[in-house]
Amino acid sequence: MSAPAMLIGGTVVQALGERQAADAQAAQLRSQQQAAMYNSAIAQQNARMERQQAGAREEAQRRRAGQVLGEQRAAFAQAGTGMGGSAADVMAQSLINAELDALTLRYEGEMRARGQEIASTQEMAEAAALDVAAANTKRQGRMRALGTILGGTGRYMEYSEGVRSREASRASRERALGGMR
């Protein structure tokens, strides 16, 4: 194989290799982007589930509290103390405590749901950053390939110029030697 063909072939192979490496890296980044988007969707789903579960826990707490309050009323009635005075104070405090317990369950569920929503937002930001990184990687690969082609073209031109210069020098020597004979 001639030197020019090797120079051109090597340049093309190197440029293609740089492009393929960049494409492979971009594909890996896109895969990571897809995983981040999936994780974001799962976090959103988890947030919805947290809210539903918190609502169910809150409702169950209210039912239990209603049962306890009913049992207290029955106990006061059976004891004959009536529903006034300290019995009313006890019932009022029990009602307040039951409502605080129910609201606490709702709040805790909401905080867990917000934590999942924050995780989802972070995953989406990661996905966006990976998308940009993949695009930049492909662009850089194209630029490196172009640089390789331009560099190879320059080396080929230097080689060609050297060949022409040697040929011109040889021709000049031959003319000079031909004139001396």
Side-chain angles (χ1 to χ4, degrees):
M1 186 180 267
S2 69
M6 290 177 61
L7 183 60
I8 292 169
T11 298
V12 168
V13 168
Q14 183 179 356
L16 289 174
E18 289 171 347
R19 179 74 185 265
Q20 284 180 330
D23 287 349
Q25 186 178 6
Q28 181 181 17
L29 291 167
R30 296 270 189 229
S31 177
Q32 291 173 357
Q33 175 196 21
Q34 292 297 317
M37 290 170 62
Y38 175 79
N39 291 341
S40 174
I42 293 298
Q44 283 295 327
Q45 185 179 33
N46 288 343
R48 285 189 299 276
M49 286 175 45
E50 284 291 350
R51 284 192 176 95
Q52 290 171 351
Q53 290 172 355
R57 285 190 297 270
E58 179 184 357
E59 187 59 35
Q61 168 59 29
R62 289 183 194 284
R63 279 192 305 275
R64 279 192 304 274
Q67 289 172 345
V68 169
L69 290 171
E71 290 169 4
Q72 282 181 343
R73 277 191 293 274
F76 286 134
Q78 187 176 20
T81 59
M83 297 307 285
S86 61
D89 291 342
V90 168
M91 293 290 291
Q93 189 60 49
S94 293
L95 185 61
I96 290 168
N97 290 341
E99 184 61 20
L100 286 174
D101 290 344
L103 292 174
T104 296
L105 290 170
R106 181 192 307 173
Y107 176 78
E108 289 171 350
E110 183 61 27
M111 290 300 101
R112 284 190 297 273
R114 285 187 183 179
Q116 291 294 325
E117 288 172 339
I118 289 168
S120 173
T121 300
Q122 290 170 335
E123 290 290 344
M124 286 307 290
E126 178 70 15
L130 289 165
D131 182 47
V132 168
N136 286 341
T137 298
K138 285 186 80 99
R139 191 173 9 263
Q140 289 170 351
R142 287 191 303 268
M143 296 304 290
R144 280 194 301 272
L146 179 61
T148 297
I149 290 169
L150 291 174
T153 301
R155 287 188 299 278
Y156 177 76
M157 291 175 72
E158 287 173 0
Y159 172 80
S160 295
E161 185 62 35
V163 168
R164 278 194 296 272
S165 176
R166 283 190 299 276
E167 288 174 357
S169 180
R170 188 178 329 124
S172 176
R173 277 193 309 266
E174 287 176 3
R175 278 193 305 271
L177 290 176
M180 297 174 106
R181 291 187 194 168

